[in-house]
Amino acid sequence: MASPTYQPRVNTSGNGWRNPPLGGGDGGGGRLSHQPRPDEDQSGPTGPKPRPGYGLRGPRRSPHVLTAESLASLTLPVGDDGVIIGIDPQNQPAVLSLLRPAPMEIALVGSMWMAQVLALRTVAVGARVAVETARPPAWGQMAQAAGGGQQCVSVHDVRQIAPQGPSVSSPVLVVRDMGARPPRNQLAPSPWQSVLTVLPFLGPRSPQMLSRADLVGLQRLSPEEAEVVTRIMRLPEQVGAVLPTLSDNAMLWCSRDGHQFVMTQPTEAETNLLGGPRRMD
């Protein structure tokens, strides 16, 4: 292999910034090449003098110090935090705040596929997921794949889930997947714990669940279901008319304060694990 060649350094300033030649240039006095002459200026063309071994000196001037009266003018821009669930009609990221200091009830009228995507993305932001389900095998593969080997998702049979001990450093999303008539939740409401109830379609008790939920997610509905949801959630008629026409990966998220259509785009890893988007499982 040929030896690399390097271009020689050129002295362009002549003011001490160039390394002196080895073994000469000082009259044979034996001065080490890295030690500057006493008459050499150790500062650069524009800048403070370096401290040997410590680099350049930092700011030491009073204009870099704020007065107490100036602190009120300081601002820190902070965007939305939460789980990215897709994109909105303006092609901007749609962020859902699933984990909050107060207990939160979420109702999802849709597929297990959508619930599992939400569970995976909740794990990705550092939360734990506990699944209470009547079909544990359908959640087992996802639970094993989530967390990169760590047990971030636990699967429990119906009425076999224990208190999860949520905290600000370890928030929990409880997913209840038990059909259109889920039994009453046995877990007491807790801070930093959100409960997501999955409904494949609207059942007899669904209107009550939707009316008391803090957040409702809707996949494609039948025209009859769309009429019920439009009335319960007080949606504009033109919005309710769109619900029967949604694609498999489109949803309407609504609360008491507003509503937003979202397109959920699965990643390659999510598609390999869960398959493509679907409305029914």
Side-chain angles (χ1 to χ4, degrees):
M1 179 181 297
S3 300
T5 58
Y6 300 90
Q7 295 294 331
R9 297 182 179 180
V10 179
N11 181 16
T12 58
S13 60
N15 59 358
W17 285 73
R18 172 176 69 90
N19 289 332
L22 295 177
D26 59 349
R31 183 180 59 87
L32 297 179
S33 61
H34 66 276
Q35 296 180 347
R37 294 186 177 91
D39 58 343
E40 290 179 335
D41 185 7
Q42 298 184 38
S43 63
T46 57
K49 295 182 179 181
R51 294 187 301 166
Y54 295 96
L56 297 178
R57 297 178 65 88
R60 297 294 189 274
R61 298 177 181 272
S62 58
H64 295 279
V65 180
L66 291 176
T67 62
E69 294 74 13
S70 303
L71 294 178
S73 62
L74 294 179
T75 59
L76 177 64
V78 178
D80 294 336
D81 62 337
V83 179
I84 298 180
I85 58 173
I87 57 174
D88 61 16
Q90 289 73 41
N91 203 34
Q92 297 297 316
V95 180
L96 194 63
S97 181
L98 291 178
L99 305 167
R100 300 178 181 178
M104 185 177 183
E105 292 282 342
I106 308 167
L108 170 63
V109 184
S111 62
M112 181 180 63
W113 180 90
M114 187 65 70
Q116 290 183 337
V117 169
L118 293 176
L120 286 174
R121 297 186 180 187
T122 303
V123 169
V125 299
R128 292 181 289 126
V129 174
V131 183
E132 183 182 7
T133 177
R135 41 182 178 177
W139 284 87
Q141 182 179 3
M142 189 278 290
Q144 294 178 0
Q150 300 181 359
Q151 190 176 2
C152 300
V153 180
S154 58
V155 181
H156 311 268
D157 291 327
V158 179
R159 299 185 183 276
Q160 299 299 317
I161 186 171
Q164 298 299 305
S167 65
V168 63
S169 60
S170 182
V172 177
L173 174 66
V174 178
V175 180
R176 308 185 73 233
D177 175 33
M178 291 169 283
R181 296 183 178 182
R184 186 179 300 274
N185 185 15
Q186 293 182 319
L187 298 180
S190 301
W192 297 106
Q193 177 174 281
S194 300
V195 179
L196 171 65
T197 302
V198 184
L199 303 172
F201 52 86
L202 295 184
R205 297 177 52 192
S206 298
Q208 298 178 359
M209 298 181 60
L210 298 183
S211 61
R212 69 169 182 261
D214 301 299
L215 185 65
V216 175
L218 305 168
Q219 281 189 277
R220 185 173 60 249
L221 303 177
S222 66
E224 295 76 15
E225 291 175 321
E227 292 180 2
V228 174
V229 171
T230 301
R231 182 180 67 255
I232 296 174
M233 303 304 299
R234 299 180 181 180
L235 298 173
E237 293 184 0
Q238 61 270 25
V239 174
V242 178
L243 293 176
T245 66
L246 294 178
S247 60
D248 287 347
N249 61 336
M251 292 193 67
L252 175 67
W253 288 95
C254 47
S255 65
R256 300 179 183 89
D257 300 326
H259 59 274
Q260 178 68 68
F261 284 101
V262 174
M263 179 78 69
T264 301
Q265 298 176 320
T267 63
E268 181 179 356
E270 292 169 345
T271 302
N272 293 337
L273 179 60
L274 307 176
R278 52 188 179 274
R279 170 59 182 88
M280 298 296 296
D281 297 295

